[in-house]
Amino acid sequence: MATVKRTATIGEYFLELGSKDIEIYRIAQDGSGALQRIDDIQGTIRMISEQYEIERDYNMSFRQHVAKLIQHVNTLDNKQL
């Protein structure tokens, strides 16, 4: 059975929520498309959440919060198309 990864491109960041881990990469701004892994996942998610005005619900796990953020961003992107 294939695993499904949720992804979103948010500004200069690429978020990936896999079955086991959360990964965030910074996309190079020089046009090369190179990705640099970000180590401060929680801080980066907090910053992005504030930018999109999504408050953390502490009744949800961190993974659920990231999934909600990715879904929100992808929904906004689809509406803008």
Side-chain angles (χ1 to χ4, degrees), residues 18-65:
S19 60
K20 295 185 180 182
D21 53 3
I22 300 167
E23 295 186 23
I24 302 176
Y25 300 93
R26 178 173 281 128
I27 303 169
Q29 298 300 304
D30 62 2
S32 67
L35 300 175
Q36 178 185 9
R37 186 182 164 111
I38 302 293
D39 293 326
D40 183 15
I41 292 173
Q42 289 190 354
T44 305
I45 293 296
R46 187 178 307 115
M47 180 191 66
I48 294 169
S49 295
E50 288 173 2
Q51 187 177 21
Y52 281 87
E53 298 178 355
I54 297 178
E55 290 188 32
R56 170 82 195 272
D57 180 357
Y58 287 96
N59 293 320
M60 298 170 58
S61 71
F62 185 71
R63 290 182 57 77
Q64 289 172 321
H65 175 68

